[in-house]
């Protein structure tokens, strides 16, 4: 995948700093595998993201390895590793990004009174000394150093000015002033940047950055206000995933700047036509469904049901759409696929939807598509997305569903008979339960013993009608780890089993207390 060339713009350039692989992955249950991180990083680079924050290298060996590999393979974007204001963190981050074409160390320290008193237990002067020492250490390892004032929006402006000046003197090239807890309003955030840039003597030596959380639903609005205040880097994530209520959504920031260029005269290097595909890729990797009414990339973003709206759209598209579906990578109409469709039509449809599958993947997807078409009257775009994304997500799974039969009804007890492929060996088991879903999950536990706790079970229809695919989300927690799995099938019980297995495979990959080999012996 390559980024198409774009004509030079006379507008101010705003850098896009994507932290999906770091802050986004901190969203409970959103942990990605090594392979998924590499795929997302490649997509971000192809899409035109300027800086990819690949992870937190000191957090684990797995995170370090992922950041290191991303640093080696990304040839265009800057690759950043996050580090606390601790010597060991900075050294580890420097080691992780050293192979990057454009490496960056991103280090941070708290500055607000509440953080200094209750979390840091440091004085203001002690924090200034920490900033000087750690930023200088990072600058000795790489030329590009970003420094963040954690909880900047709850830090007194006088002290915040001192910390920024100290960081720039020590060698920071980017200054990030985050709204860490989503507390600020747009006017406050804009004014903070304006004051800092006016009052700090050496402010012109650094690029200022925004990083906003969405606790009050203001992350994107605050990010845009920060740009108006002089920031020229936006830190954001695909689909807005992240801690608590999430981060500013990359797709919303990019399209707000593009659509409202009349009042926001700024430009990014993002290839907007790839936004929808990026959204789906991250949603699949994290097993986090995108809400239907999500701006820009939601299923209903370009859907019109009201008679008045439909009438207006038929007369002129701009009556109810401020951007075209094609501008963000959404197909204008939905081609209905069915059991009589051939491979050529299926391949063409996949390319139209943004999928580029190898021959083996295509053949497997086509076989699954034909099986689904035999069970449904119509196969919609959303059905194909669910089918292909599920296939890609489960390609490396150690435990896979072979077959499932469930006996249910009013008399009970409900019973599930299941066959699983456990690392290449088929294992059969039967189990009873308090309802068919419970029986299905008990059968899985009998084959793959584990102590994970079910935190979430959610079902919704992918498309309309009684033959619609059921999409199930399952969240499992074990030993402090929380993962989410998603499965789709016209049979709700089958999709439930698939979702449970996706989550269970993620726990296995993370080394949780799951032992599939024991059941296969």
């Amino acid at each position: 995948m390559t980024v198409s060339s774009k004509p030079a713009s006379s507008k101010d350039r705003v850098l896009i700093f994507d932290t999906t692989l770091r802050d986004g992955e901190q969203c409970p249950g959103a942990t990605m595998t090594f392979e998924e991180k590499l795929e997302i990083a490649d997509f971000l680079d192809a899409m035109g993201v300027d800086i990819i924050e690949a992870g937190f290298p000191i957090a684990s060996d797995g995170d370090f390895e992922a950041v290191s590999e991303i640093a080696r393979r990304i040839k265009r974007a800057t690759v950043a590793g996050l580090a606390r204001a601790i010597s060991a963190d900075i050294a580890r981050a420097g080691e992780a990004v050293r192979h990057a074409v454009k490496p960056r160390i991103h280090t941070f320290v708290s500055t607000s009174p509440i953080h200094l008193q209750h979390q840091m237990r440091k004085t203001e002067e002690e924090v200034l000394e920490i900033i000087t020492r750690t930023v200088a250490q990072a600058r000795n390892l790489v030329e590009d150093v970003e420094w963040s004032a954690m909880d900047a929006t709850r830090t007194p402006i006088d002290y915040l000015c001192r910390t920024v000046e100290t960081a720039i003197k020590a060698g920071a090239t980017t200054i990030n002033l985050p709204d860490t807890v989503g507390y600020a309003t747009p006017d406050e955030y804009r004014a903070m940047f304006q004051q800092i840039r006016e009052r700090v003597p050496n402010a012109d030596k650094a690029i200022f950055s925004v990083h906003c959380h969405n606790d009050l639903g203001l992350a994107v609005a605050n990010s845009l206000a920060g740009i108006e205040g002089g920031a020229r880097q936006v830190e954001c994530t695909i689909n807005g995933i992240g801690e608590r209520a999430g981060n500013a959504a990359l797709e919303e920031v990019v399209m707000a700047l593009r659509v409202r260029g009349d009042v926001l005269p700024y430009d990014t290097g993002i290839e907007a036509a790839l936004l929808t595909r990026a959204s789906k890729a991250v949603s699949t990797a994290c097993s986090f469904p995108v809400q239907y009414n999500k701006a820009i990339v939601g299923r209903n973003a370009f859907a019109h049901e009201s008679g008045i709206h439909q009438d207006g759209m038929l007369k002129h598209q701009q009556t109810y759409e401020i951007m075209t579906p094609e501008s963000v990578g959404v197909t204008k109409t939905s081609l209905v696929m069915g059991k009589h469709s051939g491979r050529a039509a299926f391949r063409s449809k996949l390319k139209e939807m943004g999928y580029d599958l190898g021959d083996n993947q295509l053949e497997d997807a086509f076989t699954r598509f034909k099986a689904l078409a035999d069970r449904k009257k119509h196969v919609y775009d959303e059905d194909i997305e669910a089918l292909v994304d599920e296939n890609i997500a489960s390609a490396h799974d150690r435990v896979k569903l072979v077959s499932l039969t469930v006996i249910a009804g009013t008399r009970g007890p409900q019973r599930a008979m299941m066959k699983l492929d456990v690392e290449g060996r088929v294992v059969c088991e039967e189990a009873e339960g308090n309802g068919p879903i419970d029986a299905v999950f008990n059968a899985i536990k009998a084959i793959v013993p584990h102590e994970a706790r079910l935190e979430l079970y959610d079902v919704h229809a992918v498309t309309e009608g009684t033959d619609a695919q059921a999409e199930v989300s399952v969240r499992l927690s074990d030993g402090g780890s929380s993962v989410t799995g998603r499965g789709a099938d016209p049979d709700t019980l089958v999709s439930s089993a698939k979702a449970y297995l996706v989550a269970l495979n993620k726990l296995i990959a993370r080394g949780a207390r799951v032992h599939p080999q024991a059941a296969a012996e």
Side-chain angles (χ1 to χ4, degrees):
M1 187 182 296
T2 58
V3 180
S4 64
S5 59
K6 301 177 76 173
S9 173
S10 60
K11 299 178 180 179
D12 277 6
R13 181 74 154 80
V14 172
L15 302 175
I16 297 298
F17 177 112
D18 184 276
T19 184
T20 301
L21 299 176
R22 198 279 300 172
D23 202 334
E25 200 192 22
Q26 291 176 205
C27 181
T31 301
M32 305 176 205
T33 65
F34 180 81
E35 291 78 12
E36 288 168 340
K37 288 183 179 182
L38 299 186
E39 287 184 21
I40 297 301
D42 286 342
F43 205 101
L44 294 174
D45 194 39
M47 194 167 62
V49 166
D50 298 288
I51 304 99
I52 299 171
E53 187 164 54
F56 197 171
I58 197 71
S60 69
D61 290 340
D63 232 30
F64 176 84
E65 291 170 6
V67 175
S68 298
E69 182 58 28
I70 291 170
R72 288 186 180 92
R73 66 194 285 150
I74 296 302
K75 303 305 180 186
R76 190 202 59 79
T78 296
V79 177
L82 185 69
R84 294 168 297 181
I86 298 173
S87 178
D89 278 39
I90 293 170
R92 190 69 165 163
E95 176 66 19
V97 302
R98 68 187 179 92
H99 295 294
V101 174
K102 292 185 282 187
R104 172 182 292 190
I105 294 176
H106 178 195
T107 184
F108 67 95
V109 70
S110 294
T111 57
S112 69
I114 191 169
H115 277 218
L116 264 58
Q117 178 182 354
H118 298 289
Q119 185 175 17
M120 293 284 292
R121 301 183 187 275
K122 300 286 186 182
T123 66
E124 290 184 349
E125 295 304 319
E126 287 174 325
V127 169
L128 292 175
E129 188 278 327
I130 290 172
I131 295 170
T132 299
R133 172 167 43 82
T134 54
V135 171
Q137 178 191 356
R139 188 59 189 267
N140 284 333
L141 298 174
V142 295
E143 293 185 2
D144 187 357
V145 175
E146 176 171 343
W147 176 78
S148 290
M150 188 155 70
D151 207 20
T153 52
R154 295 193 295 175
T155 301
I157 193 67
D158 290 342
Y159 181 61
L160 190 58
C161 285
R162 294 179 65 196
T163 63
V164 171
E165 183 175 4
T166 299
I168 296 175
K169 283 183 179 179
T173 51
T174 298
I175 298 295
N176 180 37
L177 302 178
D179 186 23
T180 304
V181 292
Y183 179 75
T185 64
D187 285 344
E188 292 171 338
Y189 204 51
R190 180 189 303 107
M192 181 186 71
F193 279 94
Q194 290 171 336
Q195 291 184 59
I196 293 292
R197 294 178 65 248
E198 290 170 0
R199 293 176 55 178
V200 174
N202 49 4
D204 60 331
K205 296 180 180 179
I207 294 173
F208 281 81
S209 177
V210 299
H211 180 119
C212 299
H213 282 265
N214 206 38
D215 298 73
L216 294 177
L218 296 172
V220 171
N222 282 337
S223 296
L224 298 176
I227 294 173
E228 291 181 314
R232 289 298 177 265
Q233 176 179 287
V234 177
E235 305 193 5
C236 44
T237 62
I238 301 295
N239 297 336
I241 66 170
E243 291 271 13
R244 304 183 312 279
N247 293 56
L250 180 150
E251 60 276 4
E252 295 177 25
V253 171
V254 168
M255 292 311 294
L257 294 177
R258 174 169 296 195
V259 174
R260 294 310 313 273
D262 55 329
V263 293
L264 296 167
Y266 313 101
D267 196 16
T268 73
I270 297 297
E271 184 60 48
L274 297 177
L275 288 174
T276 296
R277 187 68 204 110
S279 169
K280 292 172 182 174
V282 171
S283 175
T284 299
C286 297
S287 294
F288 266 42
V290 177
Q291 66 191 66
Y292 283 5
N293 62 333
K294 167 77 172 63
I296 313 301
V297 294
R299 173 175 161 181
N300 291 345
F302 297 96
H304 306 272
E305 184 172 344
S306 161
I308 295 175
H309 284 226
Q310 289 175 345
D311 179 65
M313 287 294 296
L314 288 171
K315 292 173 179 175
H316 196 287
Q317 186 175 357
Q318 291 184 353
T319 54
Y320 288 102
E321 285 186 355
I322 60 173
M323 67 194 93
T324 65
E326 295 86 353
S327 69
V328 296
V330 176
T331 53
K332 191 172 184 179
T333 57
S334 179
L335 175 64
V336 177
M337 301 286 287
K339 63 182 180 180
H340 298 296
S341 300
R343 283 179 178 80
F346 185 66
R347 184 191 293 271
S348 175
K349 184 62 179 176
L350 289 178
K351 287 185 177 180
E352 177 184 324
M353 295 170 63
Y355 292 98
D356 187 13
L357 303 184
D359 290 340
N360 290 338
Q361 283 183 312
L362 177 68
E363 187 61 30
D364 185 65
F366 182 72
T367 301
R368 291 158 60 92
F369 159 72
K370 295 291 280 188
L372 180 62
D374 282 336
R375 302 167 67 185
K376 285 174 58 67
K377 291 181 179 180
H378 303 292
V379 180
Y380 299 94
D381 288 6
E382 293 86 353
D383 291 313
I384 297 174
E385 289 168 4
L387 181 150
V388 176
D389 287 343
E390 179 188 282
N391 188 47
I392 293 172
S394 62
H396 303 287
D397 286 352
R398 294 168 63 184
V399 183
K400 300 179 181 180
L401 179 66
V402 177
S403 67
L404 172 66
T405 302
V406 179
I407 299 174
T410 57
R411 294 187 177 183
Q414 287 72 35
R415 173 171 288 272
M417 289 148 281
M418 177 175 288
K419 288 184 182 179
L420 297 182
D421 181 328
V422 182
E423 299 181 327
R425 184 176 179 181
V426 175
V427 184
C428 306
E429 188 59 76
E430 295 186 14
E432 294 181 352
N434 183 21
I437 300 297
D438 190 44
V440 169
F441 291 175
N442 286 341
I444 294 175
K445 289 180 181 179
I447 298 174
V448 187
H450 62 276
E451 300 175 14
R453 183 170 62 88
L454 180 65
E455 289 187 334
L456 170 73
Y457 175 78
D458 180 66
V459 184
H460 73 270
V462 174
T463 52
E464 305 178 326
T466 56
D467 63 349
Q469 286 200 90
E471 188 171 80
V472 174
S473 295
V474 166
R475 183 179 301 153
L476 299 178
S477 66
D478 182 77
S481 296
S482 181
V483 297
T484 304
R486 194 166 44 158
D489 192 272
D491 188 324
T492 304
L493 299 176
V494 174
S495 59
S496 299
K498 288 181 177 180
Y500 197 102
L501 289 172
V502 169
L504 197 58
N505 275 291
K506 288 186 177 183
L507 286 178
I508 293 172
R510 296 177 64 178
R513 294 171 293 176
V514 182
H515 308 288
Q517 72 282 359
E521 291 174 353

